[in-house]
Amino acid sequence: MRMAPGPVRPAVGEALSAPRVLWVGVAGDAWLVVSRVAKSLGFEPVQAVVPGSVGLELSRARPRLVLVHWRQVRERGPGGLGGLKARVGAAGATVALVAEPHTPAEVLEAADAEGVEDCLLTPITEAAVRSRLSALMGTQPLLTPSERYSPRVVLLAGAVGARTWTGLGSLLEASGHQLLYSATVEGAAARVEEHGSAPHLLIVAGDGSWGGVWARSSPGARVLLEGVPSLAVTAAECARAATLLPRIHAMLGREGTSSLRVEERVPFSCPVEFGEVGPRGLSWTSGVSFALSPGGLFVRTLVPARPGAAVTLRIHLPTTGEHLESPGVVAWANPWASREGLSCPLGMGVRFLGMGPPRLMHLRQLCYAPPGP
């Protein structure tokens, strides 16, 4: 039997119809695993190395998933891959890093700048690739959180200057809330219609009274938003966003989330694994963290654990080569889903259980420890 010289690419018609997975890195064992799983699920796997070839592949067809090997990030440096997330579009392909447990922290920081939303640790398993692609295709089992841990949709209306929502909006997103933004209450009512269900809370920025922005809204908008708990804030209060969080969390019934204290986060770049007890024992999934708060950390991943689930965290420390394990509980989770118009981080917030201040302080010190000789 004669073999075709070189790689065989699908026919044009097939390539146009099949979703694509773009691998940015050299061919190797990891690429073979990705390619094999992608083909089995009906994806077209494509490999690129240099930035020019990456741009060429992105111009041909937008991939569903972009996997970037960490050595490509190290060799190119911050911005060396041309801002992949910006090039595929905010609502386009998901960008994931393929790393080792002890990938240097500076590489992870550069990956954060590229818009990385997940991390697969080597050696890559077929299950890890399959779970991501299944999530992107909508075939992953839906999470079924209890009411206590269910996602909260917050509608932010009003525009009192360009930076009105910069502080408060980012903190609410970091707390795991799903946000809808609008410049006016009229627009907020339209966003509610688009979303298909009422939000859990409406926050209106104006002069701080219902005689301002809210009163100038139309009767139709008021009817549509009737019954939605509301909070009026001023631009000055938005500038002191951290002081508003406890009140907002109380209104949303999410006081437990406030223990993560997102306003006190410190930079913390490291691969993270989380284990859940299943039918076959403890099952581990990887992700990446870029921030640590006194009560827990945010793990970016397309396949978070179920909200409310008890997990075991395995935190890899690039600076020392160690890993720490700690029990935790998933305070909130936002798995990948088609949420046009909603703004929220993909992943989950995990609250530490049984990690006292001394151990937490030790964790912070290890995070900033100089590398060994």
Side-chain angles (χ1 to χ4, degrees), residues 48-59 76 80-81 87:
V49 180
V50 298
S53 60
V54 172
L56 178 61
E57 292 298 342
L58 291 177
S59 66
R76 311 295 171 189
L81 293 173
R87 291 161 71 188

Side-chain angles (χ1 to χ4, degrees), residues 299-320:
V299 181
R300 293 191 190 181
T301 178
L302 293 178
V303 286
R306 177 182 55 83
V311 296
T312 299
L313 290 172
R314 181 182 290 163
I315 304 169
H316 297 275
L317 302 171
T319 53
T320 64

Side-chain angles (χ1 to χ4, degrees), residues 156-161 164-165 182-185 203-206 213:
L156 304 180
V160 189
T164 300
W165 298 123
S182 176
T184 65
V185 174
I203 302 178
V204 179
V213 177

